[in-house]
Amino acid sequence: MKPLRQIRRHRRFYRVMRHLSQHPAWLHRLFGFIHRHTGWLRSFLKWLGTRMGWMKYVNPFHYVKRLDGYIIKKFIGTYVYSILLIISISIVFDVNENLAKFTQYHAPLKAIVVDYYLNFVPYFANLFSPLFVFIAVIFFTSKLAGNSEIISMLAAGVSFKRLMRPYMISCVLISALSFYLSAFVIPHGTVIKQNFESMYKNKRKNTAADNVQLQVAKGTIAYIQHYDNNMKKGYGFSLDKFENKKLVSHMTAMEIQYDTIADSKYHWTASNWKIRELRGLREHITSGATKDTLILMEPTDLVYSKGQQETFTSPELRAYISKQIDRGSGHVVQYQVEYHKRIASSFASFILTIIGLSLSAKKRKGGMGLYLGIGLALSFIYIMLQTVSATFAINAGAPPLLAAWVPNIIFAVVAYFCYRQAPN
């Protein structure tokens, strides 16, 4: 007796051939020609399939069984539903709070929807993603335990370690999405959102700086008496170059303007400039009205506004940190904390999922209310630890890497003890 899979294959082949028989004769001749001259290719593919059976282990769907698909659908569905529910409530409260300002500053409806709320949703959804993951795990796992589904899985020979596989697969998807949003999508949206707030919510950003001094290259020190970021213009500029701790060149300019339309970065135009070159005991002076020059600094190096680190993508953040460290800048800790926090937050889903599964996998009296309360408390403790550790790094000199990973380290210990007790 032929297996059902082979019968279905023959049936599909018969249906295809019957469909082709209704087409003109030239189509039959074309398929016949292809069939006669591709026998070697079919033989090679058949040989390749028999020799490369190990390829199935590379396929990720090889590890997803029917039980895994069932739990993954429950996990992802509950996670998305909880996000939509909480974000919808947040939008309602935010509209109620800011409606007066939107009306006062005549914000257009398109700008409110596209520039503000379309960037508001990903930011807060990603910010509270660990909370949503924990609530989703507690909610649907408690429901599975209450319906005795987990008991049936364990009675069928599924170990607790095997039960965690679909949870971890779901965490991989959620963590990858969370990191992609925080590293690439949300920074661009934050820029648009901040521009909207400065125009229609009277939330002013810092757009000027006084007495800025920084090292733009090795042995080259730049100084600007006043810089206006709106006009991208600085006043009272000087540039000193040193060799072997001796001053060899001193440039001054009344004004310096950043070229925003240049093909590359670091293009500046100096007005009323003068250069003094010191050659031993001699001095050579040149001056002019305007001069185009390359100075290794950008407007972002001169003005710092609150939350500026959130407007950089992760590659831009890494390059900016490296550049500021080379310059010896002291305003780099918050950027380092933000860079490491994006990576650490994406791993929080794994830790909180293990805790949530370990707490709610056992059927207990009283339902899921107690575990939802525990989940909310642990999630808010996690968010609070993130804030406190970041403050310690910025204000108390704690290592930024350690500050970003402290919540994960603490909760990883909790997750380990919960995991050890869960099979019992």
Side-chain angles (χ1 to χ4, degrees):
M1 183 176 179
K2 295 183 178 181
L4 183 61
R5 182 182 301 176
Q6 188 175 0
I7 295 174
R8 286 176 177 173
R9 186 167 61 248
H10 284 295
R11 183 172 178 269
R12 286 195 299 268
F13 179 76
Y14 171 74
R15 291 177 62 184
V16 171
M17 296 305 296
R18 186 178 64 180
H19 175 75
L20 293 176
S21 65
Q22 300 172 0
H23 288 75
W26 65 268
L27 191 59
H28 292 278
R29 290 195 299 268
L30 175 63
F31 280 104
F33 177 82
I34 295 174
H35 181 77
R36 289 192 303 271
H37 291 80
T38 56
W40 62 271
L41 180 60
R42 286 183 278 111
S43 301
F44 173 73
L45 293 177
K46 185 177 180 180
W47 174 84
L48 191 65
T50 57
R51 293 294 187 276
M52 300 185 67
W54 57 270
M55 289 292 292
K56 65 180 182 180
Y57 297 105
V58 182
N59 183 9
F61 293 100
H62 174 74
Y63 301 96
V64 180
K65 307 301 180 183
R66 182 173 297 179
L67 174 63
D68 301 324
Y70 175 72
I71 294 178
I72 290 173
K73 290 179 182 178
K74 291 280 188 180
F75 193 161
I76 301 297
T78 309
Y79 172 76
V80 173
Y81 177 77
S82 62
I83 284 182
L84 294 177
L85 181 63
I86 300 299
I87 291 299
S88 301
I89 297 173
S90 302
I91 290 176
V92 170
F93 279 101
D94 191 79
V95 169
N96 184 49
E97 181 182 355
N98 296 313
L99 186 59
K101 289 185 178 180
F102 293 158
T103 306
Q104 179 183 357
Y105 293 100
H106 307 287
L109 179 62
K110 182 179 179 181
I112 294 173
V113 176
V114 176
D115 295 342
Y116 185 70
Y117 282 109
L118 283 185
N119 297 304
F120 172 93
V121 170
Y123 175 79
F124 279 94
N126 191 67
L127 178 65
F128 296 105
S129 180
L131 171 64
F132 297 141
V133 167
F134 202 96
I135 291 176
V137 171
I138 291 287
F139 184 81
F140 89 88
T141 306
S142 298
K143 193 172 181 180
L144 292 178
N147 295 334
S148 301
E149 294 182 61
I150 292 183
I151 295 176
S152 302
M153 296 175 194
L154 298 177
V158 177
S159 64
F160 187 78
K161 184 178 180 180
R162 173 64 181 83
L163 184 63
M164 289 183 61
R165 181 192 292 180
Y167 288 86
M168 295 297 102
I169 294 174
S170 303
C171 286
V172 169
L173 300 177
I174 294 174
S175 298
L177 177 62
S178 176
F179 178 76
Y180 178 76
L181 287 175
S182 61
F184 299 100
V185 177
I186 293 177
H188 294 295
T190 303
V191 175
I192 300 174
K193 181 169 167 284
Q194 288 181 354
N195 293 334
F196 176 89
E197 290 176 342
S198 63
M199 291 178 62
Y200 301 113
K201 292 181 65 176
N202 198 25
K203 201 170 184 180
R204 300 188 180 277
K205 297 191 298 183
N206 185 22
T207 59
D210 294 318
N211 299 322
V212 180
Q213 184 175 4
L214 71 158
Q215 180 176 317
V216 297
K218 186 177 181 180
T220 305
I221 308 297
Y223 171 80
I224 299 179
Q225 186 176 3
H226 177 76
Y227 177 76
D228 186 355
N229 195 46
N230 291 329
M231 301 178 64
K232 300 292 187 293
K233 182 180 289 188
Y235 304 90
F237 174 76
S238 67
L239 186 69
D240 297 327
K241 295 183 179 180
F242 295 86
E243 291 182 2
N244 298 324
K245 299 182 180 180
K246 292 183 179 181
L247 181 65
V248 296
S249 176
H250 175 69
M251 174 183 176
T252 59
M254 294 292 293
E255 296 180 358
I256 186 168
Q257 176 73 50
Y258 185 71
D259 190 353
T260 57
I261 60 174
D263 295 334
S264 57
K265 300 187 293 184
Y266 311 128
H267 283 261
W268 295 83
T269 300
S271 302
N272 297 326
W273 58 274
K274 180 187 292 185
I275 299 178
R276 298 171 56 193
E277 296 181 357
L278 305 176
R279 302 172 180 174
L281 299 178
R282 295 184 179 182
E283 181 177 353
H284 180 70
I285 300 176
T286 55
S287 61
T290 59
K291 178 181 177 65
D292 293 332
T293 182
L294 287 175
I295 305 174
L296 299 180
M297 65 180 184
E298 297 178 89
T300 54
D301 302 328
L302 305 175
V303 178
Y304 172 77
S305 57
K306 185 178 180 181
Q308 182 178 338
Q309 65 273 14
E310 298 176 358
T311 63
F312 291 99
T313 63
S314 288
E316 293 172 347
L317 203 57
R318 184 170 60 249
Y320 182 84
I321 291 171
S322 177
K323 183 172 64 176
Q324 294 299 104
I325 290 176
D326 292 339
R327 291 175 174 176
S329 175
H331 301 286
V332 74
V333 178
Q334 55 266 34
Y335 296 91
Q336 292 175 318
V337 172
E338 176 68 21
Y339 178 77
H340 295 298
K341 188 173 71 174
R342 293 177 183 179
I343 302 174
S345 297
S346 61
F347 282 92
S349 301
F350 295 93
I351 299 173
L352 295 177
T353 296
I354 294 174
I355 297 176
L357 175 61
S358 303
L359 290 176
S360 57
K362 190 174 181 180
K363 185 176 181 179
R364 294 182 175 90
K365 294 181 179 180
M368 66 182 73
L370 175 62
Y371 301 107
L372 283 176
I374 295 174
L376 288 172
L378 288 175
S379 300
F380 282 118
I381 290 173
Y382 179 86
I383 295 172
M384 184 187 68
L385 282 175
Q386 277 188 326
T387 306
V388 171
S389 60
T391 304
F392 269 104
I394 296 172
N395 298 326
L401 178 62
L402 180 62
W405 283 89
V406 158
N408 284 2
I409 295 173
I410 295 175
F411 275 75
V413 175
V414 177
Y416 174 75
F417 285 105
C418 291
Y419 172 74
R420 292 296 300 271
Q421 294 297 324
N424 299 328

